[in-house]
Amino acid sequence: DAGLEKTKTNFFEQLSKAVVGKNTVDEAVLDDLETLLVHADVGIDTTVKVIDRIEARVARDKYVNTSELDRILREEIVALLEDNKSGSTAVLDRAGSTGQPYVIMVVGVNGVGKTTTIGKLAHRFHSAGKTVVLGAADTFRAAAVDQLIIWGQRVGVPVVSHGMNTDPASVAYDAVQKGVEMGADVVIIDTAGRLHNKVNLMNELSKIKRVMQKVIPDAPHEVLLVLDGSTGQNAFLQAKEFTKATEVTALAITKLDGTARGGVVIGISDQFNIPVRYIGVGEKMTDLQLFDRHTFVNSLFK
Ligand code: GDP
């Protein structure tokens, strides 16, 4: 998997170094593995869980050969991800199945790749034959509105926009309304992510929700939080703040092509118990993958 090559190579090389000259998985090997996982941004809580699971296995099997360590590591991480909700159903399969547009509200701070992810998602749905409407409700930055319009043109889907500094809730309302009028399958709403003002953020997101519910009572069907996978602990902090501000139902983790720290995906989905739906592996329209825990863990630790 080309997109995740960097993450994979680094982890694999380091793991091999950690076990070189050793036959059996002992305390020292587990210590090294623990350090490796923390450096890969798995996060301390999740790392401890993974190490505990491997320790339990070593205790049970008495003797575990180091040559088996990466297989065991993979199995235990997949098992851990199975324990929480990170196994996901593709939104694509559900979109348009209810007769109403499937509304996705996209949240996240500036610079994480929110607009790009929306563009990629629009492309994904559009090329699967779905009708898509975008709503430019990140009215706080002129660039955000312009960029979304460019993405709309690139993909070939309409963008509802009232320009900069207009009421985001009103944009969201009109976009959902347009989706209904067009008989669209999916409506994707961009929002502003101003974390430095938590009360405003919370109010703005709940107002956007309230207003779209006047058109479709159970909207939004998905609140997708976009996180930059290369920012490690910052991504954890953002997840913490956004889950406090609104009910996040899924994650998209971007920029995993340029980082050796893909472990953040495991840590965040475990810690927040929110499914990772998509991963971003580049800047192009097609550089968005549906997250699958088996594929992901295999490409990380192969
Ligand atoms: P926003 O401010 O959150 O809307 O961020 P943008 O969508 O404008 O993205 C910020 C930068 O990150 C742009 O240069 C994007 O091309 C880049 N970007 C977004 N997603 C990815 C990704 O998955 N991989 C890489 N390498 N770059 C990305």
Side-chain angles (χ1 to χ4, degrees):
D1 192 320
L4 293 166
E5 204 57 42
K6 195 161 180 178
T7 306
K8 183 174 82 186
T9 312
N10 275 313
F11 196 90
F12 175 68
E13 277 173 9
Q14 288 164 16
L15 187 62
S16 312
K17 273 183 209 149
V19 298
V20 78
K22 291 180 178 166
N23 290 324
T24 173
V25 175
D26 56 15
E27 197 87 358
V29 168
L30 287 177
D31 267 359
D32 285 345
L33 179 60
E34 187 168 57
T35 308
L36 264 179
L37 289 170
V38 171
H39 281 164
D41 272 329
V42 171
I44 190 69
D45 294 348
T46 304
T47 295
V48 168
K49 276 194 212 170
V50 172
I51 296 293
D52 282 352
R53 294 180 87 115
I54 297 178
E55 245 169 5
R57 203 153 151 172
V58 170
R60 193 180 61 223
D61 299 350
K62 300 286 185 288
Y63 178 91
V64 173
N65 200 288
T66 49
S67 64
E68 291 176 278
L69 187 58
D70 42 294
R71 180 181 54 82
I72 289 172
L73 177 65
R74 253 180 289 150
E75 285 172 5
E76 292 306 329
I77 289 175
V78 168
L80 186 80
L81 292 178
E82 258 156 23
D83 283 350
N84 66 35
K85 287 194 249 162
S86 50
S88 63
T89 317
V91 172
L92 193 58
D93 298 337
R94 297 195 307 253
S97 60
T98 58
Q100 292 269 49
Y102 190 86
V103 180
I104 305 172
M105 181 167 103
V106 183
V107 302
V109 304
N110 298 337
V112 294
K114 191 155 51 79
T115 315
T116 308
T117 301
I118 294 172
K120 289 171 175 176
L121 275 176
H123 168 70
R124 192 180 174 90
F125 291 127
H126 182 70
S127 48
K130 309 275 183 184
T131 324
V132 184
V133 175
L134 303 182
D138 181 354
T139 61
F140 194 62
R141 293 180 304 152
V145 175
D146 295 346
Q147 264 188 43
L148 200 71
I149 292 172
I150 292 169
W151 271 109
Q153 287 164 349
R154 196 178 289 162
V155 176
V157 300
V159 180
V160 173
S161 162
H162 298 170
M164 194 191 165
N165 288 331
T166 54
D167 178 17
S170 150
V171 177
Y173 180 89
D174 285 356
V176 174
Q177 188 65 49
K178 187 177 173 73
V180 171
E181 280 162 15
M182 284 176 52
D185 299 303
V186 191
V187 177
I188 309 175
I189 308 289
D190 192 11
T191 65
R194 283 167 286 162
L195 261 192
H196 61 269
N197 192 330
K198 283 172 212 162
V199 177
N200 271 4
L201 175 71
M202 211 180 292
N203 289 343
E204 184 167 308
L205 295 179
S206 48
K207 187 176 170 200
I208 291 175
K209 279 187 179 177
R210 222 165 41 238
V211 164
M212 61 172 66
Q213 284 163 358
K214 291 187 201 293
V215 187
I216 301 177
D218 62 345
H221 307 95
E222 182 97 291
V223 178
L224 185 70
L225 171 62
V226 182
L227 298 169
D228 179 341
S230 68
T231 61
Q233 294 310 302
N234 263 339
F236 275 88
L237 289 177
Q238 287 165 19
K240 203 167 168 185
E241 295 304 332
F242 274 96
T243 49
K244 273 191 241 160
T246 191
E247 194 196 335
V248 175
T249 63
L251 302 172
I253 303 191
T254 64
K255 307 190 194 181
L256 289 173
D257 49 310
T259 180
R261 302 186 140 189
V264 75
V265 173
I266 295 159
I268 288 183
S269 77
D270 173 53
Q271 206 160 317
F272 295 92
N273 201 22
I274 299 172
V276 177
R277 206 79 84 193
Y278 304 100
I279 55 175
V281 293
E283 302 191 73
K284 292 193 309 290
M285 184 146 88
T286 47
D287 290 333
L288 186 78
Q289 301 177 354
L290 211 54
F291 178 76
D292 173 82
R293 57 178 176 256
H294 293 279
T295 314
F296 185 78
V297 172
N298 277 331
S299 62
L300 262 189
F301 302 111
K302 197 147 50 180

